């Protein structure tokens, strides 16, 4: 065999070996289109490292199996992957971006908490009750009994009424205050969009040191399935994002929070 033919044979074998290795490369495995079921790709998944496998699974769950053309994809979070390798790269970028966003959000939250602390120390809030009551009782409660869903007259659906107890935690009389109370799931980061319930409170009567006032709020949300589920939740499952915006003390001094 001549030297030229030997070189040609070796080159052919090298190309064949490279093609076989590419075909066997799990990173080139095609993702299923329109599906999150990777059972058909399990053998290739098993050949990935633990980190790579988790990234592929997280990407597929996030994308729901969708594949968008690059020109239609969100440039910040594109869902354009067609292979394991592309999914791993995009998911790594997404994780890094999410960590940066979380760090910025945590910094904003810390600033917000520091600014709100003096107002929250002065004026404290407690979620007292959540009740489904007849609409007329929501407007005109009789005594301390707000009724129940079962006592609604006629065909009028009951409505949600939430009661908050607001206490003056200072040694000074508070002449008035404005505040927002937002109920969300305990342990979850607060978001206005995800709030389970909310109330804007404007109180214009003196609140003496150490004393409290019960504020009823609501009457507009009817007893939908979501509202009923919220009313049944245990107190330990809920938290209040208490945002006093302005507190005016007897004598004219004020505490104010200008943020959101």
């Amino acid at each position: 065999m001549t030297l030229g033919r030997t070189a040609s044979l070796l080159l052919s074998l090298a190309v064949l070996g490279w093609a076989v290795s590419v075909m066997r490369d799990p990173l080139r495995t095609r993702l299923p289109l329109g599906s999150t079921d990777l059972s058909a790709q399990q053998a290739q998944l098993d050949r990935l490292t633990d980190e790579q496998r988790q990234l592929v699974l997280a990407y597929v769950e996030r994308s729901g199996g969708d594949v968008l053309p690059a020109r239609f994809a969100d440039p910040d979070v594109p869902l354009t992957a067609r292979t394991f390798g592309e999914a791993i790269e995009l998911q790594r970028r997404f994780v890094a971006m999410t960590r940066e966003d979380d760090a910025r959000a945590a910094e904003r939250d810390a600033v917000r908490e520091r600014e709100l602390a003096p107002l929250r120390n002065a004026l404290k809030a407690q979620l007292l009750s959540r009740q489904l009551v007849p609409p007329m009782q929501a407007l005109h409660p009789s005594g301390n009994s707000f009724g129940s869903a079962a006592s609604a007259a006629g065909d009028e659906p009951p409505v949600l009424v939430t009661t908050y107890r607001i206490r003056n935690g200072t040694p000074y009389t508070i002449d008035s205050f404005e505040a927002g109370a937002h109920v969300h799931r305990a342990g979850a980061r607060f978001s206005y969009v995800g709030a389970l319930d909310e109330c804007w409170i404007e109180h214009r009567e003196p609140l003496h040191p150490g004393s409290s006032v019960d504020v009823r709020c609501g009457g507009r949300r009817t007893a939908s399935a979501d509202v009923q589920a919220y009313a049944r939740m245990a107190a330990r499952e809920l938290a209040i994002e208490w945002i006093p915006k302005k507190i005016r003390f007897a004598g004219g001094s004020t505490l104010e929070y200008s943020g959101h």
Side-chain angles (χ1 to χ4, degrees), residues 43-213:
Q44 289 82 1
L45 273 174
D46 292 341
R47 295 176 58 203
L48 299 174
T49 66
D50 288 344
E51 182 216 11
Q52 290 173 330
R53 185 164 48 253
Q54 292 305 315
L55 288 169
V56 169
L57 294 174
Y59 177 87
V60 170
E61 180 180 358
R62 182 166 64 87
S63 70
D66 292 337
V67 180
L68 297 175
R71 66 181 182 275
F72 296 134
D74 185 330
D76 294 325
V77 284
L79 299 176
T80 56
R82 295 181 181 275
T83 66
F84 281 6
E86 292 172 355
I88 289 168
E89 180 184 354
L90 290 179
Q91 189 63 19
R92 278 182 177 147
R93 284 169 48 188
F94 176 77
V95 170
M97 184 180 68
T98 300
R99 286 174 178 166
E100 292 174 1
D101 290 344
D102 288 346
R104 286 192 291 267
E107 185 177 351
R108 289 194 300 270
D109 287 348
V111 171
R112 183 170 179 269
E113 292 299 306
R114 287 196 298 270
E115 292 177 351
L116 277 169
L119 290 90
R120 287 173 170 171
N121 288 334
L123 198 61
K124 303 177 185 299
Q126 175 189 356
L127 179 59
L128 205 58
S129 67
R130 293 152 286 137
Q131 298 173 306
L132 296 174
V133 306
M136 290 306 296
Q137 287 194 27
L139 296 173
H140 305 290
S142 56
N144 294 320
S145 177
F146 300 149
S148 67
S151 65
D155 295 327
E156 289 184 297
V159 294
L160 176 69
V161 171
T162 305
T163 303
Y164 300 90
R165 177 161 292 167
I166 314 300
R167 184 171 65 84
N168 181 353
T170 77
Y172 311 104
T173 296
I174 293 175
D175 273 353
S176 65
F177 64 84
E178 299 173 9
H182 309 269
V183 184
H184 61 99
R185 293 182 184 276
R189 183 174 180 272
F190 169 69
S191 166
Y192 287 102
V193 176
L196 298 170
D197 195 9
E198 58 187 6
C199 179
W200 175 251
I201 301 170
E202 296 185 6
H203 189 76
R204 305 298 182 192
E205 297 179 5
L207 190 60
H208 299 293
S211 64
S212 62
V213 60

Side-chain angles (χ1 to χ4, degrees), residues 240-253:
I240 300 178
E241 185 72 6
W242 176 235
I243 308 177
K245 297 286 287 186
K246 185 174 184 179
I247 303 171
R248 181 177 295 278
F249 295 93
S253 63

